[in-house]
């Protein structure tokens, strides 16, 4: 019987790059937060910008006076996450996504589907996959309240998954930094559905890099049941696992195939079954509503048009270029094809390589997919930060193939 285990000798490890934590970094964050507070028309965003701007400024002053990065980071997290979150919970204010998730959970329990049958205005639509309703179940079961608010559960899922994706013993500094980063701190406080998706993608790649194919498939399948944006992570993880067979250098026992090939197949099967188990019951309950909410609305094919679009390339092309929406979709398809070819021609050799490939693919998708917005950038940001801060081998992934003779 042949098994594969990741092999990372101590002399092949390198220290992760330093995380920006000086006075200049926190001053830039403060300026960005205060700018959002001044320009945004959304109440929760203005609350966050004011509190976060003050917190970042305090962190910048502490860093300038020589205080430790841990102290400055803790102050930044307090001002950018804890204080605005507590205030918004107390006054029951949140981003629209939070209410959509809470309503979808109630519908799921009452009707077996998280989607309204006849949505009319944009607020009626739920563009997320059925798994996202899980974060609204505490409120649907126990009623509205600070402890059942969906943003708490989405934030906890993100922070937990991201922490588990990091190497044991070196989690506190990256976790503190990513929580304080404005693009993450904002959805942690006001509510954001993209965070748990990004965290589970990092966890799936980390587990794949550790050779835990089944667990990786479970994490990636759960992410894929939350939002379409998680789906590209599955082929990237499969390419990472399949590349291990080349590093092994030889097939396993005759007739068994290469162990990493079997690991990739196991990961893909578990991911598919997990996603199907979470998505198909609700989708089959009302296929018309599922398509209207999850497919037609994000693609702009309904009478109600999402107001979430940001001035990214897709929006600019659709607004200023005749046939721009078709051109953007064509560019999206070409980008996906190029990333897929890169996985086949040069599979990622390490989890960090896989994360960079995934972050690049998601960045291109965000640029060209319909109704995209700046908040989606949290996906490539979190994945790229995870790739940068984790301890990675200095050389391509090495595998040790151990054969045991069964008696």
């Amino acid at each position: 019987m042949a098994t594969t285990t990741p092999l990372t000798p101590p002399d092949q490890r390198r220290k992760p790059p330093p995380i920006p934590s000086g006075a200049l970094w926190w001053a830039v964050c403060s300026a960005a937060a205060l700018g959002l507070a001044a320009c945004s028309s959304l109440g929760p965003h203005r609350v966050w910008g004011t509190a976060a701007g003050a917190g970042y400024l305090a962190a910048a002053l502490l860093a300038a006076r020589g205080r430790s990065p841990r102290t400055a980071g803790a102050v930044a997290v307090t001002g950018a996450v804890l204080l605005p979150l507590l205030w918004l919970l107390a006054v029951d204010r949140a981003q629209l996504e939070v209410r959509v998730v809470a309503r979808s959970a109630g519908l799921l329990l009452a009707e077996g589907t998280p989607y309204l049958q006849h949505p009319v205005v944009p607020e009626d639509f739920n563009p997320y996959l059925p798994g996202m309703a899980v974060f609204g179940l505490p409120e649907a079961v126990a009623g509205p309240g600070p402890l059942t608010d969906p943003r708490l559960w989405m934030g906890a899922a993100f922070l937990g998954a991201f922490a588990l994706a990091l190497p044991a013993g070196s989690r506190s500094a990256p976790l503190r930094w990513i929580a304080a980063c404005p693009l993450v701190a904002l959805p942690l406080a006001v509510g954001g559905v993209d965070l748990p998706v990004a965290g589970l993608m990092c966890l799936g790649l980390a587990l794949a890099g550790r050779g835990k194919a089944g667990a990786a498939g479970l994490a990636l399948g759960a992410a894929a049941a939350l939002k379409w944006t998680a789906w590209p992570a599955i082929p990237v993880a499969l390419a990472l696992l399949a590349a291990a067979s080349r590093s092994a250098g030889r097939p396993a026992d005759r007739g068994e195939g290469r162990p990493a090939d079997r690991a990739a197949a196991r990961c893909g099967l578990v991911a598919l079954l997990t996603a199907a188990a979470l998505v198909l019951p609700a989708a089959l309950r009302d296929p018309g509503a599922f398509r209207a909410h999850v497919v037609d609305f994000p693609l702009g094919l309904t009478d109600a048009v999402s107001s979430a679009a940001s001035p990214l390339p897709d929006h600019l092309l659709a607004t200023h270029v005749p046939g721009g929406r078709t051109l953007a979709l064509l560019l999206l398809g070409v980008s996906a094809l190029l990333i897929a070819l890169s996985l086949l021609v040069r599979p990622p050799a390490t989890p960090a390589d896989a994360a960079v490939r995934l972050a690049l693919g998601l960045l291109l998708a965000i640029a060209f997919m319909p109704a995209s917005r700046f908040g989606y950038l949290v996906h490539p940001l979190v994945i790229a930060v995870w790739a940068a801060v984790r301890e990675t081998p200095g050389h391509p992934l090495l595998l040790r193939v151990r054969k045991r003779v069964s008696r």
Side-chain angles (χ1 to χ4, degrees):
M1 178 178 178
T3 60
T4 59
T5 56
L7 179 61
T8 310
D11 60 344
Q12 289 185 350
R13 292 187 179 274
R14 63 172 180 235
K15 291 184 178 180
I19 301 175
S21 56
L24 179 60
W25 165 252
W26 297 123
V28 170
C29 292
S30 178
L34 293 174
L36 179 65
C39 300
S40 178
S41 60
L42 301 176
H45 285 201
R46 292 198 298 270
V47 170
W48 177 85
T50 302
Y56 291 137
L57 182 59
L61 294 174
L62 290 173
R65 293 181 179 181
R67 295 296 182 91
S68 68
R70 174 179 294 183
T71 301
V75 170
V77 171
T78 301
V81 180
L82 295 180
L83 291 181
L85 174 61
L86 292 175
W87 174 260
L88 291 171
L89 286 173
V91 299
D92 194 24
R93 297 291 299 279
Q95 216 164 233
L96 176 61
E97 289 90 330
V98 176
R99 302 278 66 87
V100 170
V101 171
R103 184 189 65 210
S104 69
L107 288 171
L108 181 64
L109 292 180
E111 303 179 13
T113 174
Y115 307 108
L116 289 170
Q117 282 191 335
H118 303 292
V120 178
V121 296
E123 291 76 13
D124 291 340
F125 284 89
N126 172 18
Y128 317 120
L129 291 172
M132 191 68 71
V134 168
F135 299 110
L137 289 178
E139 181 170 318
V141 173
L147 297 181
T148 61
D149 193 285
R151 85 189 91 173
L152 290 181
W153 300 97
M154 291 188 287
F158 163 69
L159 294 174
F162 190 78
L164 291 174
L166 294 169
S170 58
R171 291 171 174 163
S172 59
L175 198 61
R176 184 170 56 248
W177 187 90
I178 197 67
C181 181
L183 204 57
V184 174
L186 174 61
L188 279 176
V190 305
V193 298
D194 296 297
L195 289 179
V197 181
L200 286 171
M201 285 194 286
C202 291
L203 180 58
L205 292 180
L207 292 170
R210 297 168 192 166
K212 299 179 179 180
L218 189 64
L220 294 173
L226 301 179
K227 207 172 180 185
W228 294 115
T229 47
W231 286 35
I234 297 177
V236 173
L238 298 184
L240 173 64
L241 287 167
S245 63
R246 297 183 182 180
S247 298
R250 58 177 177 174
D253 292 342
R254 183 178 180 182
E256 293 184 2
R258 291 182 176 180
D261 288 341
R262 299 198 308 275
R266 184 165 64 253
C267 177
L269 181 61
V270 172
L272 178 62
L273 292 177
T274 302
L278 294 173
V279 172
L280 285 181
L284 295 177
R285 176 79 174 180
D286 192 340
F290 177 81
R291 177 179 174 179
H293 286 262
V294 180
V295 179
D296 294 345
F297 180 68
L299 291 178
L301 302 178
T302 60
D303 293 334
V305 179
S306 173
S307 59
S310 297
L312 291 165
D314 169 75
H315 180 75
L316 297 176
L317 287 172
T319 304
H320 302 291
V321 178
R325 178 56 55 86
T326 301
L327 177 60
L329 291 175
L330 179 62
L331 292 173
L332 176 62
V334 170
S335 301
L337 179 60
L338 291 176
I339 294 295
L341 288 175
S342 76
L343 294 176
L344 293 174
V345 175
R346 190 177 179 182
T350 68
D353 292 340
V356 170
R357 201 80 57 89
L358 177 59
L360 177 60
L362 289 173
L363 192 61
L364 291 172
I366 291 167
F368 298 120
M369 68 183 183
S372 187
R373 57 178 176 169
F374 288 123
Y376 293 169
L377 293 173
V378 73
H379 290 289
L381 169 71
V382 168
I383 294 167
V385 168
W386 174 76
V389 301
R390 72 183 302 275
E391 290 182 348
T392 55
H395 301 285
L397 182 69
L398 299 178
L399 295 179
R400 178 173 60 238
V401 179
R402 296 181 303 186
K403 292 188 177 182
R404 302 180 201 155
V405 179
S406 57
R407 299 183 181 180

